[in-house]
Amino acid sequence: MRHKLIGLLEQSPVIPAVKDDTALTRAAGCDSRVLFLLGGDLLTIPGWIARTHEAGKQAVVHIDLVNGLAPKEVAVDWLLHQGADGILSTRPHLIRRGRELGMLTVLRVFAIDSKAVGNLQKETEMVTPDVIEILPGTLPKVIEKLSRRLPIPLIAGGLMAEKEDILAALAAGALCVSSSEDSLWEV
């Protein structure tokens, strides 16, 4: 089943990737209806989620980057209890738990070599995330190949420095891109 937040991702070509309070303040004013929260800790992430919601946006938390959280399923439960709408992770067991809880799940994959790209088909069949984020997102040929092969939408992320990077990723078949470069949030 397609997660309800996929429609919001489709409406936003760039998803702000927020790493600190200053970026969160700037991202709260952008057009995107979804924010990727990349960082924080056990004390700050509840406030980041609340501020995201106050801005009328959905909070998708990169669970692997929250200081103080162990890579355990109970961490996903804790984030849901804090109000997170979804999770990003490189860890399949956390993605599985997020799906069980009805959260948007984004499997983050580093396309570092042909083996990593080749294993993605098998990995997604085992976990079935809602969306896959391919890093670095400046690999249009890889994005094009995977978007044809995989039945799951792709987000391109990492190393997005210019408008041309975004346009190339979208033209290659990415659903949207994520970027911490605030000058690109309104592309």
Side-chain angles (χ1 to χ4, degrees):
M1 183 176 99
R2 220 171 120 104
H3 197 279
K4 62 185 177 189
L5 292 182
I6 298 290
L8 295 179
L9 294 174
E10 289 173 333
Q11 295 170 17
S12 304
V14 180
I15 307 302
V18 174
K19 297 179 180 178
D20 57 38
D21 282 318
T22 304
L24 180 56
T25 299
R26 288 193 313 267
C30 75
D31 289 339
S32 177
R33 301 272 315 277
V34 179
L35 301 182
F36 285 176
L37 305 179
L38 311 181
D41 57 41
L42 293 175
L43 299 176
T44 60
I45 205 68
W48 285 15
I49 293 168
R51 287 174 57 197
T52 301
H53 289 160
E54 288 166 7
K57 300 174 186 318
Q58 302 295 303
V60 180
V61 179
H62 194 319
I63 191 169
D64 304 349
L65 300 180
V66 177
N67 289 323
L69 283 181
K72 306 280 185 193
E73 288 87 354
V74 69
V76 181
D77 293 62
W78 183 81
L79 281 173
L80 179 64
H81 184 72
Q82 301 308 311
D85 302 292
I87 61 165
L88 288 108
S89 182
T90 60
R91 296 179 168 102
H93 70 284
L94 298 180
I95 296 296
R96 186 175 300 113
R97 181 62 182 152
R99 285 195 50 96
E100 289 170 1
L101 296 173
M103 302 173 85
L104 174 74
T105 56
V106 181
L107 178 65
R108 189 174 242 202
V109 177
F110 295 94
I112 57 171
D113 58 23
S114 59
K115 183 176 181 185
V117 171
N119 288 339
L120 189 54
Q121 181 86 33
K122 182 175 74 172
E123 191 172 335
T124 57
E125 288 171 359
M126 292 176 6
V127 179
T128 316
D130 295 302
V131 187
I132 298 168
E133 183 178 22
I134 302 294
L135 288 101
T138 53
L139 300 172
K141 287 182 182 179
V142 173
I143 292 168
E144 185 176 352
K145 178 180 178 181
L146 289 173
S147 68
R148 284 195 316 262
R149 261 194 347 198
L150 298 173
I152 297 164
L154 301 177
I155 297 173
L159 301 177
M160 292 289 174
E162 300 175 3
K163 181 179 180 178
E164 291 75 23
D165 298 328
I166 292 170
L167 296 175
L170 295 173
L175 174 70
C176 56
V177 303
S178 69
S179 177
S180 59
E181 182 61 49
D182 62 352
S183 66
L184 299 175
W185 292 350
E186 298 296 337
V187 169

